[in-house]
Amino acid sequence: MRLVSILHDILITPTHTKEKREELQSHTVDVLTNMPPESYEELLTPQTDVGASVDNNKDLEYDGRNMEAIFELLTFLEKRFDKASGTPKDSLSPILSCLCECARSNRVIRKFLRIKVLPPLRDVYQRPEQGETLRNKLCRLLTSPITDVKDLVADFLFVLCKENVGRLIKYTGYGNAAGLLASRGLMLGGRGKGNYSSDSEDSDTEEYREVRDRINPVLGCYEEPKPDPMAGMSEEQKEYEAMQLVNMMDKLSRVGVITSMRIDEDGKPKPVEHILELRENSNHAPNREPESDCD
């Protein structure tokens, strides 16, 4: 515990150069990743213990605690995104792992990180991976070919969402989150295995509420209404087009271009032998979980 208190002081200690500060924080993050989860409490201090400069900065205060050390960790993550040198695995894995364990083990840290990384949605017209906010940058990594980084980012965001599938999809889009949901058997919705507080209140923004019913959950953003492609067709024409689509998908499956899948009872994708097996799965609707920005 005493060691983490020292690491807290190192994180907020000023240095002569930015390069020296980043190097010092990098080594500090490496040590923090090896600390027991209960020790992360030592990264927080009572607000009365901090100086006047921090006292006047509300961004560094949460729930009566001084969050300066956690804020420095987030700033360090931002810098790692901006660095052109080094591989994403080497530069991002340690800090993502550190932040994930901090959020998982400490409620106050998790809530503070959620406010900074996943603030209430206002820009609902842009895809989650588009833009330069920390959320946008993290969402881009959810489809990264670097598996280690992709999994750490997905786990971090899932923990910030209290392992609530509905809330994760709200912030990332189903398409970006599909990898994590498939690996954990949550493609039909539900919650992860984490133990989180149940206190909640509705805090969706007005911008989100206005277009909520028109948000494409796969893309994670508003989508303009599109004309019905079957408008004006007879029932026979619709049936004909549907069978044409089935035959094309079946042909692509048989030659190995695609693998048709259905969601099994365990919430994971399972290959089907024939495309018509997908009809058996059509009644399994995803479970809807509360999506509000509550904590």
Side-chain angles (χ1 to χ4, degrees):
M1 292 293 224
R2 177 57 183 161
L3 177 56
V4 178
S5 296
I6 295 173
L7 295 175
H8 165 276
D9 295 341
I10 293 175
L11 279 172
I12 63 176
T13 298
T15 57
H16 293 296
T17 64
K18 293 181 179 179
E19 291 76 14
K20 190 67 177 178
R21 184 179 183 85
E22 187 170 348
E23 180 184 358
L24 186 63
Q25 290 181 339
S26 178
H27 293 313
T28 303
V29 167
D30 290 339
V31 178
L32 277 172
T33 56
N34 293 290
M35 293 292 101
E38 61 272 13
S39 66
Y40 291 124
E41 175 72 24
E42 297 301 311
L43 292 174
L44 312 178
T45 57
Q47 185 63 17
T48 53
D49 288 354
V50 299
S53 59
V54 175
D55 230 0
N56 293 329
N57 191 343
K58 296 302 180 181
D59 285 341
L60 304 181
E61 176 188 353
Y62 184 79
D63 198 24
R65 306 290 190 91
N66 168 26
M67 310 300 294
E68 188 175 6
I70 306 302
F71 186 80
E72 287 295 335
L73 290 175
L74 269 184
T75 303
F76 180 76
L77 174 61
E78 287 267 22
K79 292 176 181 176
R80 288 295 179 172
F81 272 115
D82 296 336
K83 283 180 69 72
S85 60
T87 64
K89 180 178 178 180
D90 294 336
S91 60
L92 292 174
S93 292
I95 181 60
L96 285 170
S97 178
C98 177
L99 286 171
C100 191
E101 289 306 313
C102 285
R104 197 192 310 276
S105 62
N106 189 284
R107 176 175 175 270
V108 175
I109 294 177
R110 174 178 56 77
K111 294 179 74 172
F112 177 78
L113 288 173
R114 184 187 63 80
I115 290 172
K116 298 300 182 183
V117 178
L118 301 176
L121 283 178
R122 298 188 183 281
D123 185 2
V124 294
Y125 295 92
Q126 186 170 256
R127 292 191 181 192
E129 67 271 18
Q130 295 176 336
E132 293 303 317
T133 67
L134 190 51
R135 165 179 163 253
N136 301 144
K137 295 175 182 178
L138 289 169
C139 284
R140 283 199 286 272
L141 288 176
L142 289 174
T143 53
S144 168
I146 306 173
T147 305
D148 291 344
V149 174
K150 176 181 66 176
D151 291 346
L152 280 170
V153 170
D155 194 31
F156 178 49
L157 293 175
F158 200 36
V159 170
L160 294 188
C161 294
K162 297 201 295 186
E163 300 191 18
N164 179 309
V165 172
R167 188 184 294 185
L168 179 70
I169 291 173
K170 171 182 174 181
Y171 282 102
T172 68
Y174 190 90
N176 289 326
L180 176 135
L181 301 181
S183 67
R184 301 198 184 190
L186 294 170
M187 297 197 78
L188 292 177
R191 287 180 177 269
K193 298 179 180 179
N195 184 22
Y196 301 93
S197 58
S198 59
D199 57 309
S200 62
E201 61 181 29
D202 189 359
S203 57
D204 286 338
T205 63
E206 183 178 345
E207 293 90 340
Y208 182 81
R209 288 195 297 268
E210 285 179 353
V211 298
R212 179 172 181 168
D213 294 336
R214 287 174 284 175
I215 286 179
N216 184 327
V218 176
L219 300 178
C221 65
Y222 172 85
E223 188 175 44
E224 289 284 351
K226 296 180 179 178
D228 183 0
M230 293 190 173
M233 286 187 181
S234 66
E235 291 302 315
E236 291 76 11
Q237 287 175 312
K238 292 178 182 179
E239 185 175 349
Y240 173 79
E241 293 297 335
M243 289 308 301
Q244 287 289 96
L245 180 60
V246 167
N247 290 333
M248 285 189 288
M249 291 177 65
D250 186 52
K251 182 178 179 180
L252 291 173
S253 294
R254 283 188 282 106
V255 298
V257 175
I258 64 172
T259 300
S260 298
M261 314 279 280
R262 66 181 178 88
I263 308 301
D264 209 2
E265 293 179 357
D266 61 1
K268 295 184 178 182
K270 179 182 178 180
V272 298
E273 295 182 4
H274 192 278
I275 197 69
L276 290 179
E277 288 184 47
L278 296 176
R279 295 181 61 183
E280 301 173 8
N281 202 225
S282 61
N283 294 326
H284 292 291
N287 297 322
R288 299 293 293 178
E289 293 285 336
E291 301 173 356
S292 62
D293 295 325
C294 52
D295 227 318

